[in-house]
Amino acid sequence: MSALDSLPVRIIISDPRLLESDIRLHGWVKSSRHSKAGFSFVMVNDGSCLESLQVIVPDTLANYDQIRTLHTGSAVEIDGRLVESTGKNQRVEVQAKSVALVGSVEQAATYPIAKKHHTLEYLRTVAHLRPRTNIFGAIARLRNTLAYSIHSYFHQRGFSWVNTPVISTSDCEGAGELFAVSTLNLAALPKTEDGVDFKKDFFGRPAWLTVSGQLQLEAYCLALSKVYAFGPTFRAENSNTNRHLAEFWMIEPEIAFANLKDNADLAEDFLKSVCASALSECPNEMNFFVDRVEKRAVDRLQLLVKKGFHRIDYTEAIDILQHSRQKFEFPVAWGLDLKTEHERYLTEKHFDNHPVILMNYPKAIKAFYMRQNQDKKTVAAMDVLVPGMGEIIGGGQREERAEELGQALKASQLDQELGWYLDLRRYGSVPHAGFGLGFERLLGYISGVSNVRDLIPFPRVPGQADF
């Protein structure tokens, strides 16, 4: 018995050449019903697609009494012949020659995800079993397809994938919401007059889980020209909203010899390409999301792929918001960051469901590494806003001038910590730019699933690190 000997259901139901041939199938029972005519109907799914495959089991099999006791979730191996189906909503079915029970479900009455409706909130409590449900199977397949398309997109355009460190001694965002990495005994921390003696720690200095690979990625960008990082990042943000996770995945491209316009061009092309992949590679999953989650999911993606992105300056956006008749919960003023309600108004109302790229933000609300504009008030930063969500991408042109970056580091009290980062500007510096995109946020936009806790296999949030 081997999975390599069996065909995935996705292939079985889609390849017409397999009709009237003998096949082997591994999977799990979704449902079963028994006819008085002497056979049973068993629906089997192996996770390769949304559809289950109907298996007709005759009562002439030696273990038919055992088959009649199959419960939802039971694992089976089936040998049989693939034939045309006379039933509704299925093209083919399997006439079983043998059915072997590989894994039974003990105490079927207590099976946590028996065949009935479960809320997403409940399924988070059984995250180890929720991949067996239709919605989480669809999310997992979409996630896999998008990850592959992301790597393919960058590979085809000459980018190199760089594995930036998970453990870092630099706070890229400067927000201080970091997970410490230490081998010190918390019950007996070594002390100095100024506090903890980190010289006795594993790295000899404070270290954290990374919040972004950007700074390290820039070092490779200024040698390899076009690079990207795609991996886990961590934020110790004590937030319980549906948009925040303590552990999530980030896509971060970085391009040398590039300015803010080049960065915006890359972000627009990247989003269109990845969304087009979801539509072409996961049509059944996308239709499922339309039926069960978000009716506009496919239409929204099709519009994004077809429409051009509007590009406006932050200052113009503030003027639009201040002159609108919309009543906002949060104030609108130059120098304040935009909230989701402002971003959605711009994309959904003012620009009629077009994505928007906002550019040139006030210096005070952006990170130290953003390139300062000639007006000394703004920096070459950008956010990509999409209808139905608001911000989905954040990035900008990096400050490539040593003197200006040195001043920014000193103002942020990072000049001692990031001397190596300033070196990149001293030795062969060039204009360069990049952006960051949360993978789970992208999945949420494409699928319509609103809570990021349902878009990562095992969510990590304040007070919860189960499984």
Side-chain angles (χ1 to χ4, degrees):
M1 180 185 69
S2 169
L4 299 178
D5 298 329
S6 65
L7 289 171
V9 170
R10 175 177 55 84
I11 299 299
I12 294 173
I13 65 176
S14 61
D15 190 345
R17 294 171 299 179
L18 294 174
L19 196 63
E20 298 298 332
S21 65
D22 291 333
I23 64 165
R24 171 166 289 180
L25 167 68
H26 291 121
W28 292 268
V29 174
K30 281 288 188 177
S31 65
S32 62
R33 57 188 178 89
H34 312 289
S35 168
K36 294 180 180 178
F39 49 84
S40 295
F41 301 90
V42 181
M43 301 301 292
V44 178
N45 186 281
D46 67 350
S48 64
C49 60
L50 272 168
E51 291 79 10
S52 296
L53 184 60
Q54 179 168 277
V55 179
I56 311 299
V57 184
D59 63 3
T60 54
L61 295 187
N63 62 338
Y64 186 71
D65 288 342
Q66 181 190 49
I67 294 167
R68 285 182 60 87
T69 66
L70 289 176
H71 295 291
T72 299
S74 299
V76 292
E77 177 185 274
I78 295 168
D79 286 309
R81 191 162 187 83
L82 188 68
V83 299
E84 285 191 43
S85 176
T86 58
K88 293 182 179 180
N89 303 320
Q90 56 196 27
R91 187 181 66 84
V92 294
E93 62 190 20
V94 175
Q95 292 179 344
K97 296 179 180 179
S98 70
V99 177
L101 177 61
V102 179
S104 62
V105 172
E106 300 177 7
Q107 299 178 327
T110 62
Y111 183 48
I113 52 169
K115 191 181 178 183
K116 62 180 180 179
H117 173 74
H118 297 292
T119 66
L120 296 179
E121 290 78 11
Y122 167 74
L123 290 173
R124 287 176 211 140
T125 68
V126 288
H128 57 308
L129 297 174
R130 68 179 184 172
R132 304 183 188 191
T133 64
N134 286 338
I135 187 168
F136 284 97
I139 290 170
R141 286 186 294 273
L142 176 63
R143 186 181 177 105
N144 175 68
T145 296
L146 291 183
Y148 181 81
S149 69
I150 288 165
H151 284 298
S152 296
Y153 176 90
F154 289 123
H155 179 73
Q156 291 165 9
R157 288 158 179 80
F159 282 72
S160 295
W161 181 25
V162 177
N163 303 128
T164 53
V166 171
I167 298 174
S168 177
T169 56
S170 304
D171 178 6
C172 175
E173 300 297 324
E177 295 165 334
L178 305 166
F179 287 103
V181 176
S182 175
T183 58
L184 295 176
N185 183 349
L186 295 179
L189 289 173
K191 299 292 184 69
T192 67
E193 292 181 1
D194 299 322
V196 177
D197 184 3
F198 283 104
K199 290 182 179 179
K200 296 182 178 179
D201 205 352
F202 187 90
F203 295 106
R205 59 182 297 185
W208 305 277
L209 295 178
T210 184
V211 299
S212 169
Q214 179 202 314
L215 302 188
Q216 294 88 349
L217 195 61
E218 287 186 53
Y220 274 76
C221 172
L222 295 175
L224 303 182
S225 296
K226 294 193 291 185
V227 297
Y228 74 103
F230 186 9
T233 53
F234 307 85
R235 304 281 171 91
E237 191 172 3
N238 191 17
S239 174
N240 283 290
T241 75
N242 62 1
R243 291 165 60 94
H244 293 90
L245 289 166
E247 176 186 340
F248 58 99
W249 283 61
M250 282 274 283
I251 305 132
E252 298 179 287
E254 200 78 22
I255 44 177
F257 304 98
N259 57 25
L260 187 61
K261 178 185 178 301
D262 300 321
N263 202 39
D265 290 344
L266 176 64
E268 179 173 346
D269 186 65
F270 172 78
L271 268 184
K272 287 184 174 182
S273 176
V274 172
C275 290
S277 293
L279 292 170
S280 62
E281 301 295 325
C282 296
N284 293 337
E285 283 76 13
M286 290 307 304
N287 288 333
F288 173 84
F289 294 132
V290 169
D291 291 339
R292 303 292 181 88
V293 180
E294 171 54 69
K295 292 181 179 180
R296 302 169 298 164
V298 167
D299 291 341
R300 193 164 61 186
L301 292 193
Q302 289 173 337
L303 288 173
L304 182 142
V305 171
K306 293 177 182 177
K307 290 184 176 182
F309 289 23
H310 285 285
R311 301 185 187 187
I312 62 172
D313 276 359
Y314 165 91
T315 300
E316 182 182 348
I318 292 298
D319 186 65
I320 291 170
L321 293 168
Q322 287 178 333
H323 287 87
S324 73
R325 296 181 179 180
Q326 182 87 7
K327 291 185 178 179
F328 298 112
E329 178 183 355
F330 295 95
V332 176
W334 200 97
L336 297 179
D337 210 352
L338 300 186
K339 301 296 184 182
T340 300
E341 60 172 344
H342 307 139
E343 296 167 345
R344 293 190 61 177
Y345 174 83
L346 291 170
T347 58
E348 296 168 26
K349 303 293 184 181
H350 187 82
F351 288 108
D352 190 25
N353 286 311
H354 276 71
V356 175
I357 303 180
L358 285 188
M359 309 168 84
N360 300 311
Y361 277 75
K363 177 181 177 181
I365 62 174
K366 289 297 178 180
F368 66 89
Y369 47 73
M370 295 297 186
R371 192 184 199 277
Q372 185 173 257
N373 291 327
Q374 289 185 349
D375 61 13
K376 307 292 185 182
K377 296 179 180 179
T378 62
V379 290
M382 71 172 204
D383 285 336
V384 180
L385 317 179
V386 291
M389 174 174 285
E391 180 196 343
I392 195 170
I393 284 177
Q397 184 175 344
R398 316 311 186 191
E399 182 56 79
E400 86 281 8
R401 299 165 296 186
E403 183 176 349
E404 282 77 359
L405 179 60
Q407 293 172 356
L409 286 171
K410 188 170 292 186
S412 301
Q413 298 182 333
L414 294 169
D415 49 319
Q416 298 298 317
E417 180 182 332
L418 293 176
W420 67 268
Y421 185 66
L422 188 57
D423 275 353
L424 299 176
R425 276 63 176 176
R426 294 188 177 115
Y427 308 119
S429 180
V430 301
H432 59 288
F435 62 78
L437 167 61
F439 190 33
E440 287 73 27
R441 188 166 292 191
L442 174 64
L443 283 165
Y445 178 70
I446 290 175
S447 66
V449 175
S450 60
N451 198 316
V452 290
R453 301 180 191 202
D454 301 320
L455 296 162
I456 194 167
F458 297 98
R460 301 301 187 236
V461 294
Q464 181 183 333
D466 299 334
F467 310 103

